[in-house]
Amino acid sequence: LAGRQGTAAASATMPGHRPVESSSATTTGLDAKAINSLLTLLGEIRDNSLLTDPQRNERFTRLMVQHRKAQIAKFEALLEQRQFHPADEVLAQLTDRFAADEEFSALADRLEQARRRVQAEELTTAKSRVDEFLKTNAHHRAEQVAAELAQSHPDLKTAQELLQSVRQQKNAFQTQHRAGLLDQIQQDIQRREWAAALQSAKLLIS
């Protein structure tokens, strides 16, 4: 019985082994996925050990080409989804592994162009929304829109300038509004319109 068990264990590490079922994996303390990954790795190590040096070099080159293509495809997908920061990280990893070349330079140019195009679109949209809110003295909502833009594009100077401008207009409006309320309170007191004066005072401190 022990001999048959040893033979079965050894055959499991051979290439072309059948995937381990969950019930079998339970007795080992590992899940089936982990065991199958281990067996696959062992099979690859065994195959690699049987190759000559030229064959190993050829296999390594082929794997690197496949990896490069896969990472470039990942970059393209991220760029399409406008996920510029992750795309930048993928491009940096490619450059570190394969060294910079013309293809990577072209990808970097496309990334920068896409980033600028989206920034311009979002800036135009934000300015339009800010203007609409300011027309109705909705300074708080205008500030929210400008703040979201500035947070999304911290390196975009025009976004920071828009936020600063909105806050200045908001402060100027609040100052003017408070001055008007104070003047109204004084007038109400002079006319002995105490209820009106109280109402203006509540607005002032709200």
Side-chain angles (χ1 to χ4, degrees), residues 115 117-130 141-164 166-167:
R115 181 185 284 116
R117 183 171 60 254
V118 170
Q119 285 179 344
E121 292 174 359
E122 294 184 354
L123 179 62
T124 299
T125 301
K127 282 184 175 180
S128 178
R129 294 182 63 196
V130 165
R141 298 190 66 181
E143 184 181 17
Q144 284 183 326
V145 172
E148 289 174 359
L149 179 69
Q151 184 177 6
S152 299
H153 305 285
D155 298 329
L156 187 59
K157 183 179 179 181
T158 49
Q160 307 303 322
E161 291 174 345
L162 177 63
L163 177 59
Q164 183 179 4
V166 170
R167 286 175 172 171

PDB file of all heavy atoms in Angstrom, residues 115 117-130 141-164 166-167:
ATOM      1  N   ARG A 115      -4.195  62.504 -21.456  1.00  0.00           N
ATOM      2  CA  ARG A 115      -4.361  63.165 -20.163  1.00  0.00           C
ATOM      3  C   ARG A 115      -4.709  64.650 -20.352  1.00  0.00           C
ATOM      4  O   ARG A 115      -5.630  65.176 -19.703  1.00  0.00           O
ATOM      5  CB  ARG A 115      -3.095  63.014 -19.324  1.00  0.00           C
ATOM      6  CG  ARG A 115      -3.208  63.665 -17.949  1.00  0.00           C
ATOM      7  CD  ARG A 115      -1.905  63.612 -17.207  1.00  0.00           C
ATOM      8  NE  ARG A 115      -1.627  62.282 -16.667  1.00  0.00           N
ATOM      9  CZ  ARG A 115      -0.620  61.509 -17.032  1.00  0.00           C
ATOM     10  NH1 ARG A 115       0.236  61.918 -17.950  1.00  0.00           N
ATOM     11  NH2 ARG A 115      -0.450  60.322 -16.483  1.00  0.00           N
ATOM     12  N   ARG A 117      -6.042  66.042 -23.009  1.00  0.00           N
ATOM     13  CA  ARG A 117      -7.355  66.171 -23.645  1.00  0.00           C
ATOM     14  C   ARG A 117      -8.470  66.041 -22.612  1.00  0.00           C
ATOM     15  O   ARG A 117      -9.425  66.827 -22.611  1.00  0.00           O
ATOM     16  CB  ARG A 117      -7.505  65.104 -24.720  1.00  0.00           C
ATOM     17  CG  ARG A 117      -8.815  65.196 -25.491  1.00  0.00           C
ATOM     18  CD  ARG A 117      -8.830  64.276 -26.692  1.00  0.00           C
ATOM     19  NE  ARG A 117      -8.663  62.878 -26.329  1.00  0.00           N
ATOM     20  CZ  ARG A 117      -7.543  62.174 -26.532  1.00  0.00           C
ATOM     21  NH1 ARG A 117      -6.480  62.739 -27.095  1.00  0.00           N
ATOM     22  NH2 ARG A 117      -7.478  60.902 -26.173  1.00  0.00           N
ATOM     23  N   VAL A 118      -8.354  65.075 -21.727  1.00  0.00           N
ATOM     24  CA  VAL A 118      -9.366  64.876 -20.694  1.00  0.00           C
ATOM     25  C   VAL A 118      -9.365  66.048 -19.713  1.00  0.00           C
ATOM     26  O   VAL A 118     -10.428  66.513 -19.273  1.00  0.00           O
ATOM     27  CB  VAL A 118      -9.122  63.545 -19.955  1.00  0.00           C
ATOM     28  CG1 VAL A 118     -10.013  63.435 -18.720  1.00  0.00           C
ATOM     29  CG2 VAL A 118      -9.383  62.376 -20.890  1.00  0.00           C
ATOM     30  N   GLN A 119      -8.183  66.530 -19.361  1.00  0.00           N
ATOM     31  CA  GLN A 119      -8.103  67.688 -18.473  1.00  0.00           C
ATOM     32  C   GLN A 119      -8.819  68.886 -19.071  1.00  0.00           C
ATOM     33  O   GLN A 119      -9.563  69.597 -18.372  1.00  0.00           O
ATOM     34  CB  GLN A 119      -6.640  68.034 -18.194  1.00  0.00           C
ATOM     35  CG  GLN A 119      -5.939  67.089 -17.236  1.00  0.00           C
ATOM     36  CD  GLN A 119      -4.489  67.469 -17.011  1.00  0.00           C
ATOM     37  OE1 GLN A 119      -3.899  68.245 -17.772  1.00  0.00           O
ATOM     38  NE2 GLN A 119      -3.885  66.923 -15.974  1.00  0.00           N
ATOM     39  N   ALA A 120      -8.610  69.114 -20.363  1.00  0.00           N
ATOM     40  CA  ALA A 120      -9.255  70.240 -21.041  1.00  0.00           C
ATOM     41  C   ALA A 120     -10.771  70.074 -21.051  1.00  0.00           C
ATOM     42  O   ALA A 120     -11.519  71.042 -20.806  1.00  0.00           O
ATOM     43  CB  ALA A 120      -8.722  70.361 -22.463  1.00  0.00           C
ATOM     44  N   GLU A 121     -11.234  68.855 -21.317  1.00  0.00           N
ATOM     45  CA  GLU A 121     -12.673  68.588 -21.327  1.00  0.00           C
ATOM     46  C   GLU A 121     -13.284  68.825 -19.946  1.00  0.00           C
ATOM     47  O   GLU A 121     -14.333  69.483 -19.818  1.00  0.00           O
ATOM     48  CB  GLU A 121     -12.935  67.150 -21.771  1.00  0.00           C
ATOM     49  CG  GLU A 121     -12.587  66.869 -23.224  1.00  0.00           C
ATOM     50  CD  GLU A 121     -12.722  65.400 -23.571  1.00  0.00           C
ATOM     51  OE1 GLU A 121     -13.067  64.609 -22.656  1.00  0.00           O
ATOM     52  OE2 GLU A 121     -12.496  65.032 -24.730  1.00  0.00           O
ATOM     53  N   GLU A 122     -12.640  68.297 -18.922  1.00  0.00           N
ATOM     54  CA  GLU A 122     -13.172  68.429 -17.565  1.00  0.00           C
ATOM     55  C   GLU A 122     -13.093  69.874 -17.081  1.00  0.00           C
ATOM     56  O   GLU A 122     -13.972  70.332 -16.336  1.00  0.00           O
ATOM     57  CB  GLU A 122     -12.425  67.494 -16.619  1.00  0.00           C
ATOM     58  CG  GLU A 122     -12.669  66.019 -16.921  1.00  0.00           C
ATOM     59  CD  GLU A 122     -11.997  65.094 -15.926  1.00  0.00           C
ATOM     60  OE1 GLU A 122     -11.244  65.585 -15.058  1.00  0.00           O
ATOM     61  OE2 GLU A 122     -12.221  63.864 -16.015  1.00  0.00           O
ATOM     62  N   LEU A 123     -12.069  70.599 -17.500  1.00  0.00           N
ATOM     63  CA  LEU A 123     -11.944  72.000 -17.121  1.00  0.00           C
ATOM     64  C   LEU A 123     -13.068  72.824 -17.749  1.00  0.00           C
ATOM     65  O   LEU A 123     -13.674  73.673 -17.082  1.00  0.00           O
ATOM     66  CB  LEU A 123     -10.581  72.547 -17.552  1.00  0.00           C
ATOM     67  CG  LEU A 123     -10.321  74.029 -17.245  1.00  0.00           C
ATOM     68  CD1 LEU A 123     -10.358  74.274 -15.741  1.00  0.00           C
ATOM     69  CD2 LEU A 123      -8.963  74.462 -17.809  1.00  0.00           C
ATOM     70  N   THR A 124     -13.342  72.575 -19.024  1.00  0.00           N
ATOM     71  CA  THR A 124     -14.414  73.296 -19.710  1.00  0.00           C
ATOM     72  C   THR A 124     -15.762  73.029 -19.060  1.00  0.00           C
ATOM     73  O   THR A 124     -16.558  73.953 -18.824  1.00  0.00           O
ATOM     74  CB  THR A 124     -14.463  72.881 -21.196  1.00  0.00           C
ATOM     75  OG1 THR A 124     -13.220  73.212 -21.820  1.00  0.00           O
ATOM     76  CG2 THR A 124     -15.587  73.604 -21.913  1.00  0.00           C
ATOM     77  N   THR A 125     -16.019  71.761 -18.746  1.00  0.00           N
ATOM     78  CA  THR A 125     -17.279  71.394 -18.102  1.00  0.00           C
ATOM     79  C   THR A 125     -17.399  72.030 -16.723  1.00  0.00           C
ATOM     80  O   THR A 125     -18.461  72.559 -16.355  1.00  0.00           O
ATOM     81  CB  THR A 125     -17.393  69.865 -17.974  1.00  0.00           C
ATOM     82  OG1 THR A 125     -17.327  69.274 -19.275  1.00  0.00           O
ATOM     83  CG2 THR A 125     -18.690  69.470 -17.303  1.00  0.00           C
ATOM     84  N   ALA A 126     -16.326  71.996 -15.950  1.00  0.00           N
ATOM     85  CA  ALA A 126     -16.345  72.563 -14.598  1.00  0.00           C
ATOM     86  C   ALA A 126     -16.567  74.077 -14.640  1.00  0.00           C
ATOM     87  O   ALA A 126     -17.350  74.620 -13.850  1.00  0.00           O
ATOM     88  CB  ALA A 126     -15.034  72.251 -13.880  1.00  0.00           C
ATOM     89  N   LYS A 127     -15.916  74.766 -15.552  1.00  0.00           N
ATOM     90  CA  LYS A 127     -16.091  76.214 -15.671  1.00  0.00           C
ATOM     91  C   LYS A 127     -17.538  76.561 -15.997  1.00  0.00           C
ATOM     92  O   LYS A 127     -18.099  77.519 -15.463  1.00  0.00           O
ATOM     93  CB  LYS A 127     -15.158  76.769 -16.744  1.00  0.00           C
ATOM     94  CG  LYS A 127     -13.710  76.925 -16.308  1.00  0.00           C
ATOM     95  CD  LYS A 127     -12.886  77.564 -17.411  1.00  0.00           C
ATOM     96  CE  LYS A 127     -11.468  77.834 -16.950  1.00  0.00           C
ATOM     97  NZ  LYS A 127     -10.648  78.463 -18.021  1.00  0.00           N
ATOM     98  N   SER A 128     -18.138  75.789 -16.882  1.00  0.00           N
ATOM     99  CA  SER A 128     -19.535  76.035 -17.256  1.00  0.00           C
ATOM    100  C   SER A 128     -20.464  75.860 -16.053  1.00  0.00           C
ATOM    101  O   SER A 128     -21.360  76.687 -15.820  1.00  0.00           O
ATOM    102  CB  SER A 128     -19.942  75.085 -18.381  1.00  0.00           C
ATOM    103  OG  SER A 128     -21.298  75.262 -18.734  1.00  0.00           O
ATOM    104  N   ARG A 129     -20.245  74.818 -15.281  1.00  0.00           N
ATOM    105  CA  ARG A 129     -21.077  74.567 -14.102  1.00  0.00           C
ATOM    106  C   ARG A 129     -20.861  75.635 -13.037  1.00  0.00           C
ATOM    107  O   ARG A 129     -21.815  76.104 -12.408  1.00  0.00           O
ATOM    108  CB  ARG A 129     -20.767  73.187 -13.520  1.00  0.00           C
ATOM    109  CG  ARG A 129     -21.158  72.021 -14.420  1.00  0.00           C
ATOM    110  CD  ARG A 129     -20.846  70.702 -13.732  1.00  0.00           C
ATOM    111  NE  ARG A 129     -21.636  70.549 -12.515  1.00  0.00           N
ATOM    112  CZ  ARG A 129     -21.360  69.667 -11.552  1.00  0.00           C
ATOM    113  NH1 ARG A 129     -20.293  68.887 -11.670  1.00  0.00           N
ATOM    114  NH2 ARG A 129     -22.132  69.573 -10.479  1.00  0.00           N
ATOM    115  N   VAL A 130     -19.600  76.043 -12.865  1.00  0.00           N
ATOM    116  CA  VAL A 130     -19.281  77.082 -11.889  1.00  0.00           C
ATOM    117  C   VAL A 130     -19.985  78.386 -12.256  1.00  0.00           C
ATOM    118  O   VAL A 130     -20.571  79.063 -11.402  1.00  0.00           O
ATOM    119  CB  VAL A 130     -17.757  77.296 -11.796  1.00  0.00           C
ATOM    120  CG1 VAL A 130     -17.436  78.614 -11.080  1.00  0.00           C
ATOM    121  CG2 VAL A 130     -17.109  76.137 -11.059  1.00  0.00           C
ATOM    122  N   ARG A 141     -21.979  75.557  -3.942  1.00  0.00           N
ATOM    123  CA  ARG A 141     -21.967  74.496  -4.947  1.00  0.00           C
ATOM    124  C   ARG A 141     -20.892  74.763  -6.001  1.00  0.00           C
ATOM    125  O   ARG A 141     -20.261  73.836  -6.503  1.00  0.00           O
ATOM    126  CB  ARG A 141     -23.348  74.388  -5.599  1.00  0.00           C
ATOM    127  CG  ARG A 141     -24.454  74.019  -4.617  1.00  0.00           C
ATOM    128  CD  ARG A 141     -25.747  73.673  -5.322  1.00  0.00           C
ATOM    129  NE  ARG A 141     -25.612  72.451  -6.106  1.00  0.00           N
ATOM    130  CZ  ARG A 141     -26.593  71.941  -6.841  1.00  0.00           C
ATOM    131  NH1 ARG A 141     -27.767  72.556  -6.897  1.00  0.00           N
ATOM    132  NH2 ARG A 141     -26.412  70.815  -7.529  1.00  0.00           N
ATOM    133  N   ALA A 142     -20.690  76.029  -6.326  1.00  0.00           N
ATOM    134  CA  ALA A 142     -19.631  76.382  -7.276  1.00  0.00           C
ATOM    135  C   ALA A 142     -18.268  76.003  -6.706  1.00  0.00           C
ATOM    136  O   ALA A 142     -17.392  75.491  -7.424  1.00  0.00           O
ATOM    137  CB  ALA A 142     -19.673  77.877  -7.575  1.00  0.00           C
ATOM    138  N   GLU A 143     -18.093  76.225  -5.402  1.00  0.00           N
ATOM    139  CA  GLU A 143     -16.826  75.867  -4.754  1.00  0.00           C
ATOM    140  C   GLU A 143     -16.622  74.355  -4.753  1.00  0.00           C
ATOM    141  O   GLU A 143     -15.503  73.874  -4.935  1.00  0.00           O
ATOM    142  CB  GLU A 143     -16.800  76.398  -3.327  1.00  0.00           C
ATOM    143  CG  GLU A 143     -15.479  76.151  -2.616  1.00  0.00           C
ATOM    144  CD  GLU A 143     -15.469  76.672  -1.193  1.00  0.00           C
ATOM    145  OE1 GLU A 143     -16.568  76.921  -0.650  1.00  0.00           O
ATOM    146  OE2 GLU A 143     -14.375  76.816  -0.624  1.00  0.00           O
ATOM    147  N   GLN A 144     -17.685  73.582  -4.567  1.00  0.00           N
ATOM    148  CA  GLN A 144     -17.577  72.125  -4.586  1.00  0.00           C
ATOM    149  C   GLN A 144     -17.096  71.630  -5.955  1.00  0.00           C
ATOM    150  O   GLN A 144     -16.226  70.761  -6.034  1.00  0.00           O
ATOM    151  CB  GLN A 144     -18.944  71.499  -4.258  1.00  0.00           C
ATOM    152  CG  GLN A 144     -19.328  71.561  -2.789  1.00  0.00           C
ATOM    153  CD  GLN A 144     -20.650  70.869  -2.518  1.00  0.00           C
ATOM    154  OE1 GLN A 144     -21.562  70.889  -3.359  1.00  0.00           O
ATOM    155  NE2 GLN A 144     -20.784  70.256  -1.357  1.00  0.00           N
ATOM    156  N   VAL A 145     -17.675  72.176  -7.018  1.00  0.00           N
ATOM    157  CA  VAL A 145     -17.286  71.768  -8.369  1.00  0.00           C
ATOM    158  C   VAL A 145     -15.819  72.092  -8.620  1.00  0.00           C
ATOM    159  O   VAL A 145     -15.054  71.262  -9.127  1.00  0.00           O
ATOM    160  CB  VAL A 145     -18.168  72.470  -9.427  1.00  0.00           C
ATOM    161  CG1 VAL A 145     -17.638  72.198 -10.836  1.00  0.00           C
ATOM    162  CG2 VAL A 145     -19.608  72.001  -9.303  1.00  0.00           C
ATOM    163  N   ALA A 146     -15.401  73.305  -8.252  1.00  0.00           N
ATOM    164  CA  ALA A 146     -14.015  73.722  -8.469  1.00  0.00           C
ATOM    165  C   ALA A 146     -13.048  72.899  -7.621  1.00  0.00           C
ATOM    166  O   ALA A 146     -11.949  72.551  -8.076  1.00  0.00           O
ATOM    167  CB  ALA A 146     -13.864  75.212  -8.155  1.00  0.00           C
ATOM    168  N   ALA A 147     -13.457  72.558  -6.403  1.00  0.00           N
ATOM    169  CA  ALA A 147     -12.603  71.777  -5.513  1.00  0.00           C
ATOM    170  C   ALA A 147     -12.417  70.355  -6.045  1.00  0.00           C
ATOM    171  O   ALA A 147     -11.323  69.785  -5.961  1.00  0.00           O
ATOM    172  CB  ALA A 147     -13.189  71.749  -4.106  1.00  0.00           C
ATOM    173  N   GLU A 148     -13.487  69.764  -6.577  1.00  0.00           N
ATOM    174  CA  GLU A 148     -13.388  68.416  -7.147  1.00  0.00           C
ATOM    175  C   GLU A 148     -12.433  68.403  -8.341  1.00  0.00           C
ATOM    176  O   GLU A 148     -11.644  67.469  -8.509  1.00  0.00           O
ATOM    177  CB  GLU A 148     -14.777  67.935  -7.582  1.00  0.00           C
ATOM    178  CG  GLU A 148     -15.703  67.626  -6.409  1.00  0.00           C
ATOM    179  CD  GLU A 148     -17.106  67.286  -6.862  1.00  0.00           C
ATOM    180  OE1 GLU A 148     -17.347  67.321  -8.098  1.00  0.00           O
ATOM    181  OE2 GLU A 148     -17.963  67.001  -6.012  1.00  0.00           O
ATOM    182  N   LEU A 149     -12.507  69.439  -9.165  1.00  0.00           N
ATOM    183  CA  LEU A 149     -11.613  69.532 -10.318  1.00  0.00           C
ATOM    184  C   LEU A 149     -10.166  69.669  -9.865  1.00  0.00           C
ATOM    185  O   LEU A 149      -9.263  69.005 -10.393  1.00  0.00           O
ATOM    186  CB  LEU A 149     -12.004  70.720 -11.193  1.00  0.00           C
ATOM    187  CG  LEU A 149     -11.130  70.943 -12.428  1.00  0.00           C
ATOM    188  CD1 LEU A 149     -11.346  69.836 -13.451  1.00  0.00           C
ATOM    189  CD2 LEU A 149     -11.418  72.308 -13.057  1.00  0.00           C
ATOM    190  N   ALA A 150      -9.928  70.535  -8.886  1.00  0.00           N
ATOM    191  CA  ALA A 150      -8.571  70.749  -8.391  1.00  0.00           C
ATOM    192  C   ALA A 150      -8.003  69.494  -7.739  1.00  0.00           C
ATOM    193  O   ALA A 150      -6.804  69.207  -7.859  1.00  0.00           O
ATOM    194  CB  ALA A 150      -8.567  71.907  -7.390  1.00  0.00           C
ATOM    195  N   GLN A 151      -8.868  68.727  -7.079  1.00  0.00           N
ATOM    196  CA  GLN A 151      -8.412  67.487  -6.446  1.00  0.00           C
ATOM    197  C   GLN A 151      -8.089  66.424  -7.488  1.00  0.00           C
ATOM    198  O   GLN A 151      -7.134  65.651  -7.335  1.00  0.00           O
ATOM    199  CB  GLN A 151      -9.482  66.976  -5.482  1.00  0.00           C
ATOM    200  CG  GLN A 151      -9.062  65.734  -4.700  1.00  0.00           C
ATOM    201  CD  GLN A 151     -10.113  65.307  -3.695  1.00  0.00           C
ATOM    202  OE1 GLN A 151     -11.208  65.855  -3.650  1.00  0.00           O
ATOM    203  NE2 GLN A 151      -9.774  64.317  -2.877  1.00  0.00           N
ATOM    204  N   SER A 152      -8.881  66.379  -8.555  1.00  0.00           N
ATOM    205  CA  SER A 152      -8.652  65.396  -9.608  1.00  0.00           C
ATOM    206  C   SER A 152      -7.404  65.707 -10.423  1.00  0.00           C
ATOM    207  O   SER A 152      -6.751  64.805 -10.941  1.00  0.00           O
ATOM    208  CB  SER A 152      -9.867  65.337 -10.543  1.00  0.00           C
ATOM    209  OG  SER A 152     -11.028  64.940  -9.846  1.00  0.00           O
ATOM    210  N   HIS A 153      -7.074  67.000 -10.528  1.00  0.00           N
ATOM    211  CA  HIS A 153      -5.920  67.420 -11.329  1.00  0.00           C
ATOM    212  C   HIS A 153      -5.054  68.381 -10.507  1.00  0.00           C
ATOM    213  O   HIS A 153      -5.037  69.586 -10.762  1.00  0.00           O
ATOM    214  CB  HIS A 153      -6.378  68.090 -12.627  1.00  0.00           C
ATOM    215  CG  HIS A 153      -7.310  67.254 -13.447  1.00  0.00           C
ATOM    216  ND1 HIS A 153      -6.870  66.165 -14.184  1.00  0.00           N
ATOM    217  CD2 HIS A 153      -8.653  67.318 -13.634  1.00  0.00           C
ATOM    218  CE1 HIS A 153      -7.902  65.616 -14.807  1.00  0.00           C
ATOM    219  NE2 HIS A 153      -8.984  66.285 -14.480  1.00  0.00           N
ATOM    220  N   PRO A 154      -4.347  67.855  -9.497  1.00  0.00           N
ATOM    221  CA  PRO A 154      -3.553  68.724  -8.609  1.00  0.00           C
ATOM    222  C   PRO A 154      -2.428  69.470  -9.323  1.00  0.00           C
ATOM    223  O   PRO A 154      -1.967  70.500  -8.827  1.00  0.00           O
ATOM    224  CB  PRO A 154      -2.998  67.736  -7.571  1.00  0.00           C
ATOM    225  CG  PRO A 154      -3.030  66.405  -8.262  1.00  0.00           C
ATOM    226  CD  PRO A 154      -4.238  66.434  -9.142  1.00  0.00           C
ATOM    227  N   ASP A 155      -1.983  68.951 -10.469  1.00  0.00           N
ATOM    228  CA  ASP A 155      -0.884  69.601 -11.192  1.00  0.00           C
ATOM    229  C   ASP A 155      -1.382  70.572 -12.259  1.00  0.00           C
ATOM    230  O   ASP A 155      -0.565  71.185 -12.958  1.00  0.00           O
ATOM    231  CB  ASP A 155       0.004  68.537 -11.859  1.00  0.00           C
ATOM    232  CG  ASP A 155       0.644  67.616 -10.835  1.00  0.00           C
ATOM    233  OD1 ASP A 155       0.908  68.083  -9.716  1.00  0.00           O
ATOM    234  OD2 ASP A 155       0.870  66.426 -11.147  1.00  0.00           O
ATOM    235  N   LEU A 156      -2.696  70.695 -12.403  1.00  0.00           N
ATOM    236  CA  LEU A 156      -3.263  71.581 -13.419  1.00  0.00           C
ATOM    237  C   LEU A 156      -3.436  72.977 -12.827  1.00  0.00           C
ATOM    238  O   LEU A 156      -4.301  73.207 -11.977  1.00  0.00           O
ATOM    239  CB  LEU A 156      -4.613  71.034 -13.909  1.00  0.00           C
ATOM    240  CG  LEU A 156      -5.264  71.762 -15.085  1.00  0.00           C
ATOM    241  CD1 LEU A 156      -4.360  71.742 -16.308  1.00  0.00           C
ATOM    242  CD2 LEU A 156      -6.608  71.133 -15.405  1.00  0.00           C
ATOM    243  N   LYS A 157      -2.619  73.916 -13.288  1.00  0.00           N
ATOM    244  CA  LYS A 157      -2.590  75.261 -12.720  1.00  0.00           C
ATOM    245  C   LYS A 157      -3.930  75.965 -12.863  1.00  0.00           C
ATOM    246  O   LYS A 157      -4.408  76.634 -11.935  1.00  0.00           O
ATOM    247  CB  LYS A 157      -1.491  76.084 -13.393  1.00  0.00           C
ATOM    248  CG  LYS A 157      -1.346  77.488 -12.821  1.00  0.00           C
ATOM    249  CD  LYS A 157      -0.219  78.236 -13.514  1.00  0.00           C
ATOM    250  CE  LYS A 157      -0.081  79.647 -12.960  1.00  0.00           C
ATOM    251  NZ  LYS A 157       1.002  80.408 -13.641  1.00  0.00           N
ATOM    252  N   THR A 158      -4.565  75.827 -14.026  1.00  0.00           N
ATOM    253  CA  THR A 158      -5.840  76.505 -14.251  1.00  0.00           C
ATOM    254  C   THR A 158      -6.933  75.993 -13.307  1.00  0.00           C
ATOM    255  O   THR A 158      -7.844  76.752 -12.947  1.00  0.00           O
ATOM    256  CB  THR A 158      -6.293  76.305 -15.711  1.00  0.00           C
ATOM    257  OG1 THR A 158      -6.199  74.917 -16.065  1.00  0.00           O
ATOM    258  CG2 THR A 158      -5.419  77.111 -16.662  1.00  0.00           C
ATOM    259  N   ALA A 159      -6.866  74.732 -12.909  1.00  0.00           N
ATOM    260  CA  ALA A 159      -7.846  74.187 -11.965  1.00  0.00           C
ATOM    261  C   ALA A 159      -7.672  74.821 -10.591  1.00  0.00           C
ATOM    262  O   ALA A 159      -8.660  75.169  -9.923  1.00  0.00           O
ATOM    263  CB  ALA A 159      -7.703  72.675 -11.869  1.00  0.00           C
ATOM    264  N   GLN A 160      -6.432  74.989 -10.171  1.00  0.00           N
ATOM    265  CA  GLN A 160      -6.165  75.636  -8.883  1.00  0.00           C
ATOM    266  C   GLN A 160      -6.579  77.107  -8.922  1.00  0.00           C
ATOM    267  O   GLN A 160      -7.104  77.646  -7.938  1.00  0.00           O
ATOM    268  CB  GLN A 160      -4.677  75.505  -8.533  1.00  0.00           C
ATOM    269  CG  GLN A 160      -4.125  74.092  -8.582  1.00  0.00           C
ATOM    270  CD  GLN A 160      -4.868  73.127  -7.676  1.00  0.00           C
ATOM    271  OE1 GLN A 160      -5.272  73.474  -6.571  1.00  0.00           O
ATOM    272  NE2 GLN A 160      -5.048  71.894  -8.144  1.00  0.00           N
ATOM    273  N   GLU A 161      -6.348  77.754 -10.049  1.00  0.00           N
ATOM    274  CA  GLU A 161      -6.729  79.166 -10.193  1.00  0.00           C
ATOM    275  C   GLU A 161      -8.246  79.325 -10.172  1.00  0.00           C
ATOM    276  O   GLU A 161      -8.767  80.298  -9.612  1.00  0.00           O
ATOM    277  CB  GLU A 161      -6.152  79.731 -11.493  1.00  0.00           C
ATOM    278  CG  GLU A 161      -4.636  79.860 -11.485  1.00  0.00           C
ATOM    279  CD  GLU A 161      -4.070  80.293 -12.832  1.00  0.00           C
ATOM    280  OE1 GLU A 161      -4.810  80.210 -13.840  1.00  0.00           O
ATOM    281  OE2 GLU A 161      -2.897  80.696 -12.880  1.00  0.00           O
ATOM    282  N   LEU A 162      -8.962  78.381 -10.779  1.00  0.00           N
ATOM    283  CA  LEU A 162     -10.422  78.437 -10.762  1.00  0.00           C
ATOM    284  C   LEU A 162     -10.955  78.314  -9.341  1.00  0.00           C
ATOM    285  O   LEU A 162     -11.847  79.070  -8.936  1.00  0.00           O
ATOM    286  CB  LEU A 162     -10.998  77.313 -11.635  1.00  0.00           C
ATOM    287  CG  LEU A 162     -12.531  77.201 -11.665  1.00  0.00           C
ATOM    288  CD1 LEU A 162     -13.142  78.453 -12.270  1.00  0.00           C
ATOM    289  CD2 LEU A 162     -12.967  75.958 -12.446  1.00  0.00           C
ATOM    290  N   LEU A 163     -10.400  77.390  -8.579  1.00  0.00           N
ATOM    291  CA  LEU A 163     -10.827  77.213  -7.191  1.00  0.00           C
ATOM    292  C   LEU A 163     -10.554  78.473  -6.372  1.00  0.00           C
ATOM    293  O   LEU A 163     -11.406  78.916  -5.587  1.00  0.00           O
ATOM    294  CB  LEU A 163     -10.111  76.011  -6.574  1.00  0.00           C
ATOM    295  CG  LEU A 163     -10.398  75.743  -5.089  1.00  0.00           C
ATOM    296  CD1 LEU A 163     -11.889  75.509  -4.864  1.00  0.00           C
ATOM    297  CD2 LEU A 163      -9.596  74.540  -4.607  1.00  0.00           C
ATOM    298  N   GLN A 164      -9.386  79.063  -6.557  1.00  0.00           N
ATOM    299  CA  GLN A 164      -9.034  80.279  -5.834  1.00  0.00           C
ATOM    300  C   GLN A 164      -9.983  81.422  -6.191  1.00  0.00           C
ATOM    301  O   GLN A 164     -10.428  82.179  -5.317  1.00  0.00           O
ATOM    302  CB  GLN A 164      -7.591  80.686  -6.156  1.00  0.00           C
ATOM    303  CG  GLN A 164      -7.118  81.913  -5.389  1.00  0.00           C
ATOM    304  CD  GLN A 164      -5.667  82.258  -5.717  1.00  0.00           C
ATOM    305  OE1 GLN A 164      -5.050  81.622  -6.557  1.00  0.00           O
ATOM    306  NE2 GLN A 164      -5.137  83.250  -5.047  1.00  0.00           N
ATOM    307  N   VAL A 166     -13.120  81.188  -7.308  1.00  0.00           N
ATOM    308  CA  VAL A 166     -14.447  80.924  -6.747  1.00  0.00           C
ATOM    309  C   VAL A 166     -14.476  81.267  -5.257  1.00  0.00           C
ATOM    310  O   VAL A 166     -15.450  81.862  -4.764  1.00  0.00           O
ATOM    311  CB  VAL A 166     -14.836  79.450  -6.970  1.00  0.00           C
ATOM    312  CG1 VAL A 166     -16.091  79.103  -6.175  1.00  0.00           C
ATOM    313  CG2 VAL A 166     -15.066  79.183  -8.449  1.00  0.00           C
ATOM    314  N   ARG A 167     -13.438  80.913  -4.548  1.00  0.00           N
ATOM    315  CA  ARG A 167     -13.394  81.200  -3.108  1.00  0.00           C
ATOM    316  C   ARG A 167     -13.327  82.692  -2.844  1.00  0.00           C
ATOM    317  O   ARG A 167     -13.936  83.190  -1.876  1.00  0.00           O
ATOM    318  CB  ARG A 167     -12.207  80.478  -2.479  1.00  0.00           C
ATOM    319  CG  ARG A 167     -12.436  78.967  -2.338  1.00  0.00           C
ATOM    320  CD  ARG A 167     -11.225  78.231  -1.828  1.00  0.00           C
ATOM    321  NE  ARG A 167     -11.556  76.830  -1.539  1.00  0.00           N
ATOM    322  CZ  ARG A 167     -10.660  75.890  -1.246  1.00  0.00           C
ATOM    323  NH1 ARG A 167      -9.370  76.196  -1.212  1.00  0.00           N
ATOM    324  NH2 ARG A 167     -11.052  74.653  -0.994  1.00  0.00           N
TER     325      ARG A 167
END
